[in-house]
Structures are given as structure tokens and as C-alpha cells.
């Protein structure tokens, strides 16, 4: 059964770049779309963006200037980079499999999430 | 501030039914499919409904979804204590990309 696992630093300093990787197991990343979603403490879900396995991306307009999502099909991984972070970027970050883009855009398999705190 | 509005909370006794609404616009729900997610305390969200009304394998038929115009609804029948969770709707928005609802906390009385 397909599994997703986020990895990366749990603490990032303000103004630096947050970098996370999602490793996909028991499924090929060379299908589907792959998404990043985050959830600030005590708040709701926020869609960050997704990447198609061929490399095309779509980002949340509010984060577009700071976000880069990339894919490494040889490692069955995709990654998130968020630059110039502030305390407002503190959240649980989830990666998820997205079987189809719009008009569907649902996430059918989620990672367990990783907590990232932005603090000096 | 999400473009999809849900009631903050709903509640009912065990065995009863709850309905969660998700209100949007023609930019999102009106022209795209809706999905629903259950988030139990301290865990990652889980897909309950995709494409307005399709249940993934393993999701009980107590959970059902529907869509009409620019609104969607999730019904939970035969409510159980294990259903206590936060529920989110999701869809695509023509300007914003992926969007989620504000979330609804379900309490079993």
C-alpha cells in the first residue's frame, strides 16, 4: 500500500529557506500529481501547490513568490522549498498524492506530516 | 480566510445524523468537483469523499456527499463516537488553485 513520508529540519530560522522532502513508497511517482499542504497550529488546511510527475507546477498565489516544488523520479521523491520564512510559516506540513488535477484535485493518500517551527 | 465556508461546529447524539455544508461560488464549487476529508485529533487528514460523491475503498456508506450549484454537503448517518473529528471540504478555484473549507468540528453528544 502506497505510503508517503515527509522529512526535513523541524526548526528553521527566520529569513532562511524551509526545505522538505516527501518519499513515496510502494507506488511510482511517475504517475499522478503530488501536493504539499500545511496546517498552522490550531488552524485549518492551506494548499501550497502541486507538481505533476513530468515537472509542471501550480502554486498557491499567496505563496508563489517564495515556493518551489520539484520532483526527482529517480529517487521517487518530491520536494518543497519555501524561502524567506517567518513565524507565520510555522505549521505541520503534509505531502499528499493527487490522482488528478483540476477539476478533480483531491488528495487520496497523505503523509503523517512533519512539524516545522520558524524561530531564532 | 477561506473562500469555502463551513459551519464551525455541528453535534448530535450517537446514531443520529449530521449534515455539514460547504458554500462556495462559481469560481470553485460551481465548476469543479468537491472532496471531503476527516481529520481525527493529532492525525493527518483522510479522504472520505472524492468527485462530489465517491467513497474510496474502506469508507463506510454512513458517509455520503452531494453537490448542488455552488454548495456541497457531507452527511454522516448512524453517528459514532469515533466520528468525532474535524471535517474539511476541498475543491479547485480558478484563481486560487486548491482550496479547503474553514473546517467543521463534529461532536458526538
Amino acid at each position: 500500500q502506497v505510503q508517503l513520508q515527509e522529512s526535513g529540519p523541524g526548526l528553521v530560522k527566520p529569513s532562511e529557506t524551509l526545505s522538505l522532502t516527501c518519499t513515496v513508497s510502494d507506488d511510482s511517482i511517475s504517475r499522478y500529481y503530488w501536493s504539499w499542504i500545511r496546517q498552522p497550529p490550531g488552524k485549518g488546511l492551506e494548499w501550497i501547490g502541486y507538481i505533476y510527475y513530468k515537472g509542471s507546477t501550480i502554486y498557491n498565489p499567496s505563496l508563489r513568490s517564495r515556493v518551489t516544488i520539484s520532483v526527482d523520479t529517480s529517487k521517487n521523491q518530491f520536494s518543497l522549498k519555501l524561502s524567506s520564512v517567518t513565524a507565520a510559516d510555522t505549521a505541520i506540513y503534509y505531502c499528499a498524492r493527487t490522482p488528478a488535477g483540476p477539476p478533480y484535485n483531491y488528495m487520496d493518500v497523505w503523509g503523517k506530516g512533519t512539524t516545522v517551527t520558524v524561530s531564532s | 480566510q477561506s473562500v469555502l465556508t463551513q459551519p464551525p461546529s455541528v453535534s448530535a447524539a450517537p446514531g443520529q445524523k449530521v449534515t455539514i455544508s460547504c458554500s462556495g461560488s462559481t469560481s470553485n464549487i460551481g465548476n469543479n468537483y468537491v472532496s471531503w476529508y476527516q481529520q481525527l485529533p493529532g492525525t493527518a487528514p483522510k479522504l472520505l469523499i472524492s468527485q462530489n460523491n465517491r467513497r474510496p475503498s474502506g469508507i463506510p456508506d454512513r458517509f455520503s456527499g452531494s453537490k448542488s450549484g455552488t454548495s456541497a454537503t457531507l452527511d454522516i448517518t448512524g453517528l459514532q463516537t469515533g466520528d468525532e473529528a474535524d471535517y474539511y471540504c476541498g475543491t479547485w478555484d480558478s484563481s486560487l488553485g486548491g482550496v479547503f473549507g474553514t473546517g467543521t468540528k463534529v461532536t458526538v453528544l
Side-chain angles (χ1 to χ4, degrees):
Chain A
Q1 184 165 345
V2 59
Q3 294 185 344
L4 281 67
Q5 178 67 58
E6 304 89 350
S7 60
L11 180 64
V12 182
K13 290 182 168 55
S15 80
E16 295 190 345
T17 297
L18 178 161
S19 296
L20 297 175
T21 296
C22 182
T23 301
V24 180
S25 304
D26 296 324
D27 190 16
S28 172
I29 203 168
S30 296
R31 307 193 282 177
Y32 307 132
Y33 297 75
W34 302 91
S35 300
W36 286 98
I37 301 100
R38 70 180 183 178
Q39 186 171 34
K43 297 188 177 181
L45 303 172
E46 179 181 28
W47 181 79
I48 298 172
Y50 69 53
I51 188 166
Y52 189 47
Y53 75 93
K54 291 187 176 182
S56 59
T57 54
I58 297 185
Y59 301 135
N60 184 325
S62 70
L63 299 171
R64 186 179 293 138
S65 63
R66 299 193 292 130
V67 170
T68 302
I69 298 176
S70 58
V71 64
D72 187 336
T73 55
S74 67
K75 295 182 179 180
N76 231 38
Q77 295 176 334
F78 64 108
S79 299
L80 169 71
K81 291 189 184 297
L82 182 65
S83 64
S84 304
V85 298
T86 70
D89 296 310
T90 293
I92 299 173
Y93 285 76
Y94 297 101
C95 59
R97 187 178 77 173
T98 303
Y104 303 98
N105 198 60
Y106 61 94
M107 296 85 181
D108 67 341
V109 181
W110 294 64
K112 293 183 178 180
T114 187
T115 298
V116 178
T117 301
V118 178
S119 175
S120 55
Chain B
Q1 55 279 34
S2 173
V3 295
L4 304 181
T5 302
Q6 299 179 230
S9 64
V10 297
S11 62
Q16 297 301 302
K17 172 184 174 181
V18 294
T19 296
I20 301 171
S21 60
C22 177
S23 179
S25 69
T26 55
S27 297
N28 40 69
I29 291 177
N31 286 286
N32 294 284
Y33 291 91
V34 177
S35 52
W36 289 92
Y37 305 87
Q38 176 193 60
Q39 187 174 32
L40 297 169
T43 70
K46 173 184 177 182
L47 178 67
L48 285 180
I49 299 287
S50 69
Q51 301 171 75
N52 300 337
N53 54 22
R54 297 192 178 186
R55 280 187 308 276
S57 174
I59 300 300
D61 59 7
R62 301 187 298 104
F63 296 91
S64 63
S66 63
K67 176 187 134 174
S68 177
T70 58
S71 294
T73 298
L74 175 70
D75 289 326
I76 310 174
T77 59
L79 198 62
Q80 301 177 0
T81 55
D83 297 333
E84 285 204 335
D86 293 324
Y87 292 80
Y88 295 91
C89 59
T91 189
W92 186 261
D93 185 278
S94 58
S95 297
L96 303 175
V99 289
F100 291 100
T102 49
T104 299
K105 182 177 182 62
V106 170
T107 300
V108 181
L109 301 173

